[in-house]
Amino acid sequence: MKKILLFTLCIAFNFTASAQNINPEMPLPEEQTIKKGVLENGMTYYIHDTKVTKDVASYYIIQNVGSVLEKDNQQGLAHFLEHMAFNGTRDFPGKGILNKMQESGLVFGKDINAYTSFDETVYNINNIPTTPELIDTGLSILQNWSNYLSLTDEEIDSERGVIKEEWRTRQSGGMRVLQQTIGTMFNNSIYSERLPIGQMDIVEGFEYKALRDFYHDWYRTDLQAIAVIGDVNVDEIEAKIKALFSTIPAVKNPIERTEVRIPDNDELIYAIGMDKEVTSSNIAFAIRHDKSLENETLADLKENLLNSMVTAIISTRLNEINQKPDSPLIYAGVNYGTLSRLNNEFSVRMLPKPNMQHKAFELVMSEINRAVKFGFTKSEIATVVAQTIGSYENRIAGLGNRSHGQIVRDIQTSYLENAHITDLAKEFEIAKVIFSQLTQEELLAKAQKLYLKNNRSIVVTGVAANKNLTKEDALNILNSVENDPNLKGYVEETNVKPLMSGVDLVSGTIVSEKENAEIGSTVFTLSNGIQVHYKFVDKNKNDVNLSAVSYGGESLLAVEDLPSTILLGNVIQMSGLGDFSAIDLPKVLAGKKANSIANVGSIDESVSGSSSTKDVETMMQLVNLRFTKPRFDEQSYNVLMQQVDAFLIRKSEQIQSKMQDSITTILYGKNHPTERLFDKKLMSEMSFDKMKSIYTSRFGNAADFTFFIVGDVTKETIKPLLEKYIASIPTTSEKENWKDNSTNWVRSNIDKDVFLEMKDPKTSVNVVIKNDMKYSLKNSILMRAMGDVLQLRYTESLREEEGGTYGARSRGTISRRPTEEASLSVSFDCNPDLAEKLIAIVNKEIEAIKNGDIQQADLDKTLTNYLKEKEESKNYNRFEMSLLKEYVMEGYNMNDPKNYEDIVKSIKVKDLKNIAKKLLKNSKSYEIVFKPKE
């Protein structure tokens, strides 16, 4: 009977550590919660029922079609076709899809979107309410995308300008370097000639038939999969899919959809790219591997796990080197992952310090060869195994928390690359057996298998006037380190003390416990005076969050101390915590999901933490240490200063950085005491000792903080932890508040054109209007609505009608403190020839709102979205944290309809008109426009 039981368990893939023999050829355990089928016409479908967000579902169509299928005269048409899917179909003419979805509360760009890559094009409409009508609508949209795009002459022509502006917006020094080096990245295969954005001369001039031909050649049922994920009845959705999508005819005599394997190269291939705007170097070394699309087995799982372990350990070693002041590196890390449909790559990316490319490359390649020759220590392997096991445990505990997007990514990989969607719990049992049998020799062999001598490439981002790494240099260094007789195995120094080492922990008590029936929380007052507001919530399983907030922040600091707050958070994180450096702390926390961070803001300071349910105590320990034993490592500070030096070099020629610095200078002048440019002068005023004293002053008294804990942890569990780790923190009776240190622009109204040298000319427009306005919940909603209604108008006018921009960003806000002030901002990049016309449209649309010339449909779409978003937000633990904090710190109940839903439902066109008039009357404003220097 025992043998029969063991056999049954193995067949079911329910392995335990006692099951010592795994057949590597056995298939992986299959995820049973995703329904998969294939229609007679070849279309594949996937359906998954999840309650992560109640009463909504998301709809996807995955096209096994990308830019690699384009002919030379079609470059850009795969991406162009993606745009056209939102510009008219058989059942949704013109902007019918967008209008229908926006009427249901969805937002273009967030809930409704698509992307085109080399090998696939994927469309999504997310979180559609699951009413019978809208379920049918969601499926109908997928059917229309599959086979019924209109592709009218007029819509094609109107979209040419939009795509040209998308190209213009994406152009940068980094993009131009990519275009110079992509041939080496993909060994001059078709991938290197098919960036999805395409060629703009083709985009601007292709004949209509070319796009229609591409559509009819490639958008077909045998190359399509649809997925419906959400709060749905699987059987009902499957029946609807079969009835609706089976009517699409299969294409007769279809063109073969071939896969592209990047050709091998025996010799190292090399490229260097440079651009005036790119002033810092980086080096990418890669070794290409073939990838199989065959059905995955247990051998594939083992290979994936070992590859991940090898790269994780090497990256950890490199991270330790990065944190030394004498290192030639700012950053270095290794990875193993997908390069293309049929190729993976072992990749090494390094950011050298200025003029240290050769030393950086030699050091990194020496470390990789150390691993390849000598392998890994037992403690390194134990640490990465613990981290992997912890990751499995947390993923399994949080399976119900996965978003629709996370789920569909697994489906996409399954459909496009024949990857297995595994039963994670059963996979974990197999993984534990693999770990129990793993040897140092086996992991060494895996590292050696990754480090091939062929299919190598190096891509260097060079800097003019620097000593850049040449191909000859790289080959010499590789030969040297690969044959270095002095290379020795890695020796690990491990700090194995408990996390709370050196802390004189004297537990306190809970002196009072009160229930708040209105929002379902508990208020604990501790013996040291700290108040903790707690609420049990398991909407997201295995998820616990802590936030502790105190008013004061930078507003209480002297002006001369402010520079030292800018990087304070970075220094804290790089220094480690308690008795542990930033190198040792992850080893102590291996296998645990817990963290904490501290931050100093403009008017407050905070400590936050998060953890899994089982690691709540570790999170509480980390939070305790933020108050009782923070760590300040001067070596880490020096490393950070070197990184900042390199950052300043990197940003010095970046157009975006020049624009941001110009805006700051135009608004506040060149020598404002608090509104400063991030430059070497500001850096020179930072001080390690000041950072320590600022931290002590801001976090020296925990009684000044209000604590909030929300999540999947019971009251019985949290109470003794509060007494041990929070009530034990020393406190005083002092209390602080923030000061109003807000600043004014040099003038109330600013209109400025700035001319910059640009390789790819574009105009960038920045408009802001602000005014004093009393904060209220209604005013807050109205200001947001003004920005969102304008966003709809600008999408229609600036993008669709004029074709002058890829998209304008419009945002309305109102601040509660330090000043009560409303603000409206509009920004966009555009065709320089159309800039003045588009700016006039921007101002015209704002004036239209002030005059009450507002389309009711736009307001309805906006308000419907607010109600929909609010209802969906209630499905998550983070909503409960906001509920708790708003109730305690702002004095209102987010759950009470009068504080949100009733306000939204009451808003009329006249309300938007009135708040626009308030905003614009005697307002302050700026219009700063960046133009190409001729």
Side-chain angles (χ1 to χ4, degrees), residues 419-579:
H420 212 78
I421 304 177
T422 61
D423 182 313
L424 195 60
K426 292 175 182 176
E427 179 188 312
F428 181 36
E429 295 304 318
I430 302 169
K432 285 190 285 188
V433 177
I434 292 171
F435 294 147
S436 72
Q437 299 174 347
L438 183 63
T439 65
Q440 287 175 283
E441 291 74 20
E442 197 170 17
L443 207 57
L444 170 59
K446 174 51 62 181
Q448 292 169 344
K449 186 178 177 182
L450 290 174
Y451 193 72
L452 300 174
K453 292 299 177 73
N454 66 328
N455 292 336
R456 294 181 170 190
S457 67
I458 293 180
V459 172
V460 176
T461 299
V463 178
N466 280 11
K467 192 173 186 297
N468 297 307
L469 184 75
T470 66
K471 181 178 181 179
E472 183 181 6
D473 296 334
L475 287 170
N476 288 336
I477 290 170
L478 285 170
N479 182 62
S480 174
V481 299
E482 289 174 352
N483 297 284
D484 183 0
N486 299 315
L487 196 64
K488 292 181 172 57
Y490 178 78
V491 179
E492 184 180 23
E493 297 178 8
T494 305
N495 187 344
V496 295
K497 297 183 294 184
L499 182 59
M500 297 299 287
S501 295
V503 177
D504 185 16
L505 198 65
V506 180
S507 296
T509 60
I510 295 173
V511 297
S512 75
E513 176 180 334
K514 295 180 181 179
E515 301 300 319
N516 184 328
E518 186 176 357
I519 60 172
S521 66
T522 303
V523 185
F524 299 107
T525 302
L526 308 184
S527 53
N528 58 356
I530 292 175
Q531 268 204 345
V532 181
H533 299 264
Y534 156 81
K535 186 174 184 181
F536 172 81
V537 186
D538 63 350
K539 294 174 180 178
N540 299 122
K541 303 287 186 184
N542 198 44
D543 176 61
V544 183
N545 288 277
L546 178 147
S547 178
V549 183
S550 168
Y551 280 128
E554 296 173 359
S555 73
L556 301 185
L557 299 178
V559 170
E560 60 268 23
D561 290 342
L562 291 178
S564 296
T565 66
I566 296 170
L567 297 175
L568 177 57
N570 303 75
V571 173
I572 294 166
Q573 290 303 114
M574 290 179 65
S575 292
L577 191 59
D579 282 347

Side-chain angles (χ1 to χ4, degrees), residues 647-665:
F647 167 75
L648 291 176
I649 293 172
R650 189 161 67 249
K651 77 185 278 282
S652 61
E653 293 297 328
Q654 291 175 347
I655 293 293
Q656 204 60 43
S657 296
K658 290 182 177 181
M659 290 180 183
Q660 191 54 56
D661 286 351
S662 295
I663 289 174
T664 300
T665 303

Side-chain angles (χ1 to χ4, degrees), residues 639-875:
V639 170
L640 178 63
M641 290 299 104
Q642 292 176 353
Q643 293 175 349
V644 172
D645 267 330
F647 167 75
L648 291 176
I649 293 172
R650 189 161 67 249
K651 77 185 278 282
S652 61
E653 293 297 328
Q654 291 175 347
I655 293 293
Q656 204 60 43
S657 296
K658 290 182 177 181
M659 290 180 183
Q660 191 54 56
D661 286 351
S662 295
I663 289 174
T664 300
T665 303
I666 291 167
L667 295 181
Y668 300 103
K670 292 183 178 180
N671 298 301
H672 196 282
T674 59
E675 301 295 334
R676 307 276 301 275
L677 299 185
F678 193 89
D679 56 15
K680 283 190 172 293
K681 185 175 187 305
L682 185 65
M683 263 189 70
S684 69
E685 297 173 31
M686 298 177 184
S687 159
F688 177 70
D689 290 332
K690 277 186 180 179
M691 288 184 181
K692 288 174 65 176
S693 65
I694 289 168
Y695 188 94
T696 302
S697 75
R698 297 297 87 227
F699 296 93
N701 177 26
D704 201 30
F705 286 73
T706 305
F707 281 69
F708 304 90
I709 299 174
V710 168
D712 187 11
V713 57
T714 64
K715 185 186 295 187
E716 292 71 28
T717 300
I718 205 70
K719 287 172 68 173
L721 298 179
L722 290 175
E723 292 181 322
K724 187 173 184 180
Y725 296 112
I726 307 302
S728 62
I729 301 172
T731 60
T732 72
S733 59
E734 294 180 9
K735 299 287 183 179
E736 293 178 331
N737 207 338
W738 55 274
K739 293 180 181 177
D740 182 2
N741 288 341
S742 54
T743 55
N744 295 315
W745 299 339
V746 291
R747 295 189 306 279
S748 294
N749 300 102
I750 298 170
D751 189 343
K752 181 78 172 177
D753 289 347
V754 181
F755 294 89
L756 299 173
E757 289 187 6
M758 302 181 192
K759 191 159 188 177
D760 294 306
K762 67 178 179 181
T763 293
S764 293
V765 178
N766 301 270
V767 175
V768 169
I769 303 168
K770 67 177 184 177
N771 212 333
D772 295 339
M773 188 178 295
K774 184 172 178 58
Y775 180 89
S776 69
L777 294 174
K778 183 169 185 177
N779 282 347
S780 175
I781 296 169
L782 284 170
M783 282 304 304
R784 181 187 174 194
M786 188 192 308
D788 290 344
V789 167
L790 283 169
Q791 182 88 47
L792 291 172
R793 299 303 311 141
Y794 294 146
T795 298
E796 184 172 328
S797 58
L798 303 182
R799 174 179 162 133
E800 301 300 338
E801 293 176 3
E802 299 296 334
T805 180
Y806 180 50
R809 297 163 295 281
S810 173
R811 186 166 180 254
T813 61
I814 185 168
S815 61
R816 185 187 275 127
R817 57 182 73 86
T819 58
E820 294 183 291
E821 184 177 70
S823 176
L824 175 70
S825 63
V826 182
S827 60
F828 58 93
D829 295 336
C830 68
N831 181 343
D833 295 336
L834 294 176
E836 296 307 319
K837 181 179 182 181
L838 300 185
I839 293 170
I841 293 172
V842 165
N843 292 321
K844 178 183 175 183
E845 296 286 4
I846 295 172
E847 281 293 313
I849 290 186
K850 186 188 78 169
N851 296 329
D853 183 9
I854 301 164
Q855 294 188 23
Q856 185 66 49
D858 288 343
L859 182 58
D860 290 343
K861 290 174 184 177
T862 299
L863 300 180
T864 300
N865 169 249
Y866 294 172
L867 295 173
K868 177 178 177 291
E869 281 188 346
K870 176 64 181 296
E871 196 60 33
E872 290 170 7
S873 71
K874 295 178 182 178
N875 289 280

